[in-house]
Amino acid sequence: MTAGGQGYDVVVVGSGFGSLFFLQRFLDRPRQRVLMLEWGETWDNATQLEHGKNGAIDIEDTFTYRPEPGGENKVWHYTIGTGGGTNCWYAQTPRPLPSDFELATRFGVGMDWPLSYDELEPYLSEAEEIMAISGEDAIGRFSPRSRPYPQPPHRGSQVDRLMKAAQPELHFAMPCARARVPTANRPACCASNRCYLCPVNAKFTGLAELDHIFSHENLDLVTGAKVLRFETEGGLVKEAVFEKDGRIERVRADFFVLGANSIQSPAILLASGIDDGPVGQGLHETHGYNVEVLLDGVQNYDGSTITTGINYSLTEGDFRKDHAAVMLFFENRWMHGLRPERGRWRESLSMLVLAEEIPDLRSRVTLNPSSGAVEVITVPGSDYAERGFRKAMEALPDVLAPLPVEEIRIMGRRWTEGHVQGSLRMGARAGDSVVDGRQIHHRYRNLMVVGASVFPTCLNATPSLTAAALSLRAAELL
Amino acid sequence: MKFTRRRLVLGATLAGGAAGVAALMFIGRDRSSFLRRSLEQMVGPFRMPDEDFAAFQAEIEAILTSRLGNREGPKWDLTRTVSRFGLLDLVAAASSTVQDKVEIYRREVVTHFILATDWLDAPADGGLRDVRYSGINPACANPFAVFD
């Protein structure tokens, strides 16, 4: 495959956050011919709603769980289709904390990122601008900001108002890409509580907001193209080999950007024989639990979106030497049903208690030695994360002291956040990382990895905003 | 066999008891009444056209089946029967398993009722509300949300 008889300048694999935000910046360059290869098809919001799912390819068909002693069959979730994870995400966009980038230096756990929060901050702001993030600027107390949020914060619930009044420096409106006010392409969020298939297309998605990328004159998008491997020669990646309509095709380029996802991207590298460093290792996401709080006399759920509050009481401190920091999400939805007592249906609060995970290299993506099929091995969450959750539960009565709490109930483990991170980690040294601080492969210097695959540690934040900002930065530094 | 008075009394008692249990179990199979009673306990008295109630029941039964299984058999019949006499909470208090299932049942029912009918907007006529079933509004499923 060629562009007008020539190879492409750049081939981009995948079309989710990592790839799109790379192109958002890279396509500013003139005369760069770019080919985007997407395994799935283009399903717009209406098509997704019609089918009741985000893409035609079922995730269960894209990898298998390989049982190992001490392992667990954990759920991993992502979207295969144009726009990737921008389709299925719930659009939460809290920023990471500066300390998240220096875990090893500050707390002696995990590893440091090869860049600081300050280096990333301008790109976080730019990504927020592109996605029209709604938020409360005062949250910059934890994650400093150079720009105000583009959209005003969502209306909090009655619970949020009580928490905010008592803890103005710890409790904030959840930053999110669910429009508070309409954008040029999206209506305001209507609190549908089913964000993975937003019935009104109110959240940021690649298809809704970044059509200028897909329709750019320098970009060719090929869907239904499953990249199988890269061919290398003389220390460079030369070709991407992909399958389309049952045929094997090849495309040459000067530069390759790998942004499939944290399961498929390492699988492509392994199939290419590019296994330098911890390729596929360290797959992780936040370690989460559902918690329900029964309240006395508070009529909740009157916020204007699905998740209205985030509380930072348990995120910063020297305790991270011993146990995980924890994000507390205040949901504006009755995840466990309304209460049955007459007139008290709304007197409850659903919370997500999300502990940062320390990636374990034993959780990994691998290929079946016989069939070459993609396999995932997952070990249970770390003691560090579980201890963080237990400590959070001990602290929760104090954190929730502003509320008339009747009972706090642990409603069970959350088996996935729909985040896949960390299997192609970035770092300063080739031995313990796959790409450098500019997201360039340590050995193959014309290969970049984008998306949450490059996260060396978990962050006290949902990953998409950071993945987007990293891509803007990587494109600029290229 | 010799029919003594004692045996006749014993037989009649056993037969009566069996008939009673059978009747109670029969009562327990009436899911519709159980559903309506449960709802009235949770939301207060209401009137709903029969076809609306049937549609509501069909949808909530499907939801409950996915959460609790098909809810058939003597245990569920007995649960519904006990409920008829207002003793369900007593039974539930004695068993955490029953308590959990009853809680799931009640929460699913009340949640679906509040969201899938016009109960929140229905005018109360002396405490009795006339309610129509419309199904959940998939576009904006949170009737409590405020957007000011």
Side-chain angles (χ1 to χ4, degrees):
Chain A
M1 174 170 278
T2 60
Q6 305 294 312
Y8 284 89
D9 295 298
V10 177
V11 166
V12 177
V13 180
S15 61
F17 279 100
S19 301
L20 288 174
F21 281 79
F22 170 83
L23 290 172
Q24 168 74 19
R25 176 58 56 83
F26 185 79
L27 286 171
D28 291 344
R29 302 182 183 196
R31 298 183 300 280
Q32 293 288 315
R33 294 294 302 161
V34 178
L35 175 68
M36 176 180 264
L37 297 172
E38 168 53 51
W39 182 2
E41 299 297 337
T42 301
W43 277 16
D44 63 12
N45 182 254
T47 309
Q48 293 181 35
L49 288 169
E50 182 187 331
H51 288 86
K53 57 183 185 176
N54 298 112
I57 297 174
D58 289 329
I59 304 310
E60 305 78 53
D61 298 335
T62 63
F63 69 90
T64 55
Y65 163 67
R66 185 202 280 185
E68 286 216 335
E72 67 173 12
N73 190 358
K74 181 177 161 20
V75 176
W76 298 100
H77 185 74
Y78 46 83
T79 298
I80 303 281
T82 307
T86 71
N87 294 296
C88 60
W89 78 319
Y90 272 55
Q92 319 282 24
T93 56
R95 286 185 172 198
L97 306 170
S99 54
D100 292 342
F101 295 80
E102 302 167 355
L103 269 191
T105 299
R106 292 199 194 195
F107 309 114
V109 296
M111 63 187 284
D112 288 349
W113 288 48
L115 73 161
S116 67
Y117 177 88
D118 287 345
E119 286 175 81
L120 192 61
E121 198 287 330
Y123 305 99
L124 289 167
S125 286
E126 188 180 346
E128 287 171 342
E129 202 69 45
I130 293 164
M131 291 192 271
I133 301 299
S134 148
E136 186 182 343
D137 294 331
I139 205 170
R141 179 170 180 268
F142 285 90
S143 302
R145 319 178 45 77
S146 58
R147 294 191 214 173
Y149 275 110
Q151 290 218 350
H154 270 279
R155 183 187 198 273
S157 66
Q158 177 64 14
V159 160
D160 291 310
R161 287 190 288 281
L162 291 168
M163 292 297 296
K164 186 71 181 174
Q167 301 173 2
E169 297 188 335
L170 293 170
H171 195 89
F172 303 96
M174 171 64 86
C176 69
R178 301 180 297 271
R180 174 66 169 124
V181 293
T183 73
N185 301 308
R186 292 179 280 141
C189 173
C190 70
S192 74
N193 291 356
R194 49 194 292 254
C195 302
Y196 75 104
L197 283 172
C198 179
V200 296
N201 212 10
K203 73 178 179 188
F204 168 87
T205 65
L207 289 168
E209 286 286 6
L210 300 180
D211 184 58
H212 59 276
I213 291 178
F214 297 114
S215 59
H216 196 284
E217 59 181 358
N218 289 342
L219 180 87
D220 291 333
L221 167 65
V222 178
T223 58
K226 181 185 180 185
V227 173
L228 304 173
R229 64 181 183 278
F230 294 126
E231 297 285 358
T232 61
E233 186 184 309
L236 292 173
V237 176
K238 286 292 182 188
E239 288 183 335
V241 181
F242 63 97
E243 182 181 353
K244 179 168 173 58
D245 300 330
R247 292 173 47 189
I248 302 297
E249 306 233 22
R250 293 167 180 272
V251 60
R252 296 178 80 85
D254 296 329
F255 195 81
F256 293 82
V257 176
L258 179 56
N261 60 53
S262 208
I263 288 178
Q264 301 302 327
S265 284
I268 290 168
L269 289 194
L270 291 170
S272 312
I274 302 175
D275 55 3
D276 317 51
V279 173
Q281 301 172 37
L283 183 68
H284 69 277
E285 66 172 336
T286 316
H287 182 77
Y289 283 83
N290 289 314
V291 167
E292 183 180 46
V293 183
L294 300 185
L295 302 168
D296 184 7
V298 174
Q299 297 299 310
N300 200 17
Y301 308 127
D302 57 338
S304 61
T305 190
I306 185 171
T307 307
T308 44
I310 181 169
N311 191 286
Y312 282 77
S313 294
L314 307 174
T315 53
E316 283 285 32
D318 251 12
F319 67 82
R320 290 171 84 183
K321 291 175 179 168
D322 174 70
H323 60 268
V326 166
M327 289 183 289
L328 300 174
F329 284 13
F330 284 60
E331 298 295 308
N332 186 46
R333 55 175 166 158
W334 41 92
M335 296 174 68
H336 316 287
L338 298 173
R339 286 182 69 165
E341 300 98 314
R342 191 188 298 191
R344 302 191 66 193
W345 313 300
R346 295 164 60 186
E347 295 182 17
S348 64
L349 161 68
S350 295
M351 298 181 73
L352 311 189
V353 178
L354 305 173
E356 64 179 324
E357 184 57 283
I358 295 295
D360 186 326
L361 295 184
R362 293 174 301 165
S363 284
R364 63 193 189 277
V365 178
T366 185
L367 302 181
N368 184 288
S370 309
S371 66
V374 181
E375 296 183 332
V376 173
I377 297 161
T378 315
V379 297
S382 68
D383 289 344
Y384 181 81
E386 181 63 21
R387 212 159 43 242
F389 168 71
R390 295 291 157 197
K391 292 284 186 183
M393 291 311 298
E394 287 172 23
L396 212 48
D398 288 336
V399 173
L400 300 178
L403 305 176
V405 173
E406 283 184 346
E407 187 182 345
I408 298 174
R409 297 171 166 184
I410 300 173
M411 303 302 283
R413 172 94 181 271
R414 293 173 59 78
W415 292 105
T416 183
E417 298 302 320
H419 303 148
V420 278
Q421 309 173 187
S423 59
L424 296 170
R425 56 170 56 176
M426 65 197 306
R429 293 183 302 277
D432 58 13
S433 58
V434 178
V435 297
D436 64 18
R438 297 162 62 210
Q439 296 174 239
I440 304 289
H441 191 272
H442 284 299
R443 181 145 70 103
Y444 295 95
R445 304 301 291 171
N446 70 333
L447 173 62
M448 174 184 281
V449 178
V450 295
S453 303
V454 302
F455 287 16
T457 54
C458 184
L459 302 178
N460 260 295
T462 47
S464 303
L465 175 70
T466 302
L470 282 172
S471 282
L472 292 170
R473 174 178 174 272
E476 186 165 297
L477 296 180
L478 185 62
Chain B
M1 180 183 286
K2 190 176 177 184
F3 288 95
T4 63
R5 185 175 166 187
R6 189 174 170 178
R7 280 187 171 169
L8 278 172
V9 169
L10 184 62
T13 304
L14 285 173
V21 168
L24 289 173
M25 299 302 257
F26 180 77
I27 290 170
R29 292 201 183 138
D30 183 356
R31 293 188 183 201
S32 180
S33 299
F34 179 62
L35 177 61
R36 186 175 279 277
R37 257 196 328 277
S38 300
L39 271 170
E40 288 185 338
Q41 200 177 42
M42 294 186 284
V43 304
F46 66 92
R47 254 190 321 244
M48 186 189 272
D50 288 346
E51 63 272 23
D52 280 23
F53 193 80
F56 170 77
Q57 187 179 359
E59 198 161 289
I60 191 63
E61 286 289 345
I63 293 169
L64 290 167
T65 299
S66 75
R67 292 288 314 271
L68 296 168
N70 62 15
R71 302 181 335 284
E72 287 173 357
K75 281 185 186 169
W76 278 102
D77 291 345
L78 190 59
T79 302
R80 284 184 280 264
T81 304
V82 165
S83 155
R84 178 151 194 136
F85 298 104
L87 300 172
L88 187 53
D89 287 325
L90 274 178
V91 175
S95 160
S96 60
T97 308
V98 174
Q99 196 169 31
D100 288 349
K101 289 184 175 175
V102 167
E103 170 110 357
I104 289 169
Y105 178 92
R106 286 176 169 164
R107 284 183 152 212
E108 289 290 357
V109 167
V110 76
T111 302
H112 195 66
F113 184 82
I114 295 289
L115 300 184
T117 69
D118 61 355
W119 193 91
L120 288 171
D121 300 320
D125 176 14
L128 184 69
R129 292 190 191 223
D130 280 308
V131 180
R132 296 301 306 258
Y133 169 78
S134 55
I136 288 180
N137 173 3
C140 293
N142 181 351
F144 316 116
V146 177
F147 300 96
D148 298 341

